[in-house]
Amino acid sequence: MPKDLPHVRYRIRVGERGMERRCSLRTLFPTDFVLVWEEKLWLPGRGALAGLTRTERQRLQHHRWRQKFQRNLQAAGLLLEEQRAVHYLKLSAPWEVLIYFAEDLCMRAPLQVQPNPDADGSAEILRQLRLPNPLQQHVPNKPLDFYTCAFRRSKLSKFLGSDSPDSYFSNTQRHRVVAEILARTMYGKRKHAEMGIARLLAEGVYTAAFPLHEGPFELPGYHVPGADLNPRQLLYAYWARWCCWHKYQPLDHVREYFGEKVAIYFAWLGFYTAWLLPAAIVGTLVFLSGLLTMASAFREEICTSGGTFVMCPLCATCATWNISEICPMAKLGYLFDNPGTVFFSIFMSFWAMAFLEHWRRKNATLAHHWDCADFQEEEERPRPEFAAMAPQMAQNPVTGLKEPYFPTRARLSRMVTGSMAILIMVRKMVALQAGNIANISSTFLNLVLILLMGKVYTSLAEQLTKWEMHRTQTLHEDAFTFKVFIFQFVNFYSSPFYVAFFKGGSRGESGTLHTPASLKSISLASHGIIFLMSWSSLRMKDKPHTILHVHRKIKAWWQKRQLASLWGAQMGHDPRRWEDDYELIECEGLFEEYLEMVLQFGFITIFVAAFPLAPLFALLNNWVEIRLDAHKFVCEYRRPVAERAQGIGVWLLILETMAHLSVIINAFLIAFTSDFLPRLLYQYEHHTHLQGYVNFTLAQAPRTYLAQGNHTPCRYKAFRDETGDFTLFYWKLLAVRLGFILAFEHVVFFFLRLIAWLVPDVPADLALQVKRERYLAKQALADNQYVLGEGPPAPERSLPHNVLDLQGPSALWT
């Protein structure tokens, strides 16, 4: 930092044997970020390098990288303070650095305060109906809402709060700036792309890098007004505790503390959970109606048939059996195959698209409210792993700088190879799982396979994505997300697909009667059981009563035990904030949380006909999930770096794809898996009350089959004659099924397009707010003196070229 800047007298220097500082950092500036390393390094004297082992040489290299990295951080203007034993390097960004990067990162600056009312849709409905709202809660210290514009240093005086530099930037904004500097700073040679804290963490030079939590989360033992709690205690008291399970989430507080990306996830999860309520109510009513009408005419015909209908053997060594033996299963199957489930499938298709359309409106409102509506990804830096493994350097056509480069043709060949590997694995997975679902009892084996193979496929997807050498983190994450979703989609959904469309079919040709010939209702009952088991395995990922939660607790205990041996003399004093935070578990992002919810969304839309209570179970699960995830972020995780986001990203595209797929799958389920259409056609052509329906659906064993091994005359479920050929009713039914699929899809998609047209993505009042904000920004950034002829505007003050030149070579970055 140049000498003419006012804060130069507060700079500190971290030396190899100690620290020289002109005054204490923590008494003047807040700690925005902490770098940690645990290694006690022995530094050899000159001439002793030849006798070092490989591990000692690696330690020495890490030490040199740390020294250069920290010198460059100081050159960037950050203030550093180091604590010994376990090495804690505390970083702080002074005012000049903050305002420089605020403009560089396109941060939003406040222009005018505006009302910030609670904008929850259900609260507004209850208010209009003048009904009490048990979900409402008052959370103190609600963040203010502002009209904002892009920050500019030359217009600093026109922004609210600019006269108070100590409080102008929030803690979240401060550590976002420091994280950006850490990601850009060099520690080695530029040609080797030795840059950024992410690669240093991967190399083991540092063991952790994190912003600090704002105090403890535990509430004091005595009464303290809510307004006097620190932000972390506030989130714990009004969000992360179980007693808040029936209250709205304080999303503005979550965004203020964790950033927009985390807040968007919890906003989406809460919105999705609220929309599950009507689906759960309708599904429960459908299930109850099926339970009350279970004793229908044709089901009674099965149960009272006795030995009338002798069924063909189910395997080569099996004996004949009576259809009356499956009376309990036939009644159970009716719960999953009745006219109500057909209506519910149609209802859920509309529900899914209506949910996504309204989420777009909610997302647009939140993005504007949180100043992310105009947020766009800047030209991203290459990933550290990409920079380390890229075989050559090439000029970036946007920035003009030389960057690590991987040939496009080589990447495409790797992507094709990876895609072939995915197809092979998916094919093997489908074959493996489908073969394990011959009966209901084998679904337990299928559950174990789902749990085990999920971990294997995730690891495989990660390795394939790394091998494909994607340049930026966004491209890498999108490719990884797509692969894992494909694996998990097949992993979880191959069993229901097999049960719904392939299990239980039989043909009338000679020699093929040994395939399963059970009724479709039994298949649907198995389908529902598989759904329950798969859903149970899905929610066993991260709950406090599961193995993974115990593993997380053991990991935290082991980390504390390891730190105890390193602290040594420091164990005598009370742990400080950075020591407490280092004991917490590193936050690994939101990928697993999104994946769980998206797979759940697929269950309740694609296969909801198999189990109408699925939305109810999903609702109960998500109500618990919100508080569990909140508790993890507030109490168990290190504070993640606040990231901006406009929405849920690629997950929205996946949800839309699954919603459209659900329409097609539900049409085929109703047409070919359910007995709805055969019963309807039988009622139209033969008997309104389904008398004799069971006998009508059972075909006589073909003569060729009976003559082959002197088999006993028997029946099987099919619309065939005694020669094994299809009857006229079969062809009529096939035409009805195909016509139903076409009509179902066209009608549903028409109404879905109508919903999309009637529900605009941006609400009208939000569009008005955007126009108002643009007007205020134009007024604030206009230079009135120049307009009035009083002279041109003063040039913008910038940091010297040799200090923070981020576009070209400088002493800072080389």
Side-chain angles (χ1 to χ4, degrees), residues 132 222 228 289 313 404 520 544 556 603 698:
Y222 50 89
D228 295 336
S289 66
K520 285 291 183 180
F603 275 128
L698 297 178

Side-chain angles (χ1 to χ4, degrees), residues 31-33 93 98 107 170-182 210-212 214 256-259 639-643:
T31 299
D32 299 316
F33 225 91
L98 289 172
M107 288 187 178
S170 66
N171 288 332
T172 301
Q173 291 173 322
R174 293 179 65 93
H175 82 241
R176 184 183 294 165
V177 167
V178 177
E180 183 67 19
I181 296 175
L182 290 172
F210 53 89
L212 288 177
E214 299 182 31
E256 188 78 8
Y257 193 80
F258 291 109
R639 188 176 184 179
V641 176
E643 299 182 48

Side-chain angles (χ1 to χ4, degrees), residues 37 66-74 80 89 206:
W37 68 99
R66 268 195 301 268
Q67 292 297 305
K68 186 170 183 178
F69 187 71
Q70 290 165 193
R71 286 196 301 269
N72 285 338
L73 291 178
Q74 286 181 278
L80 283 66
L89 185 65
Y206 293 97

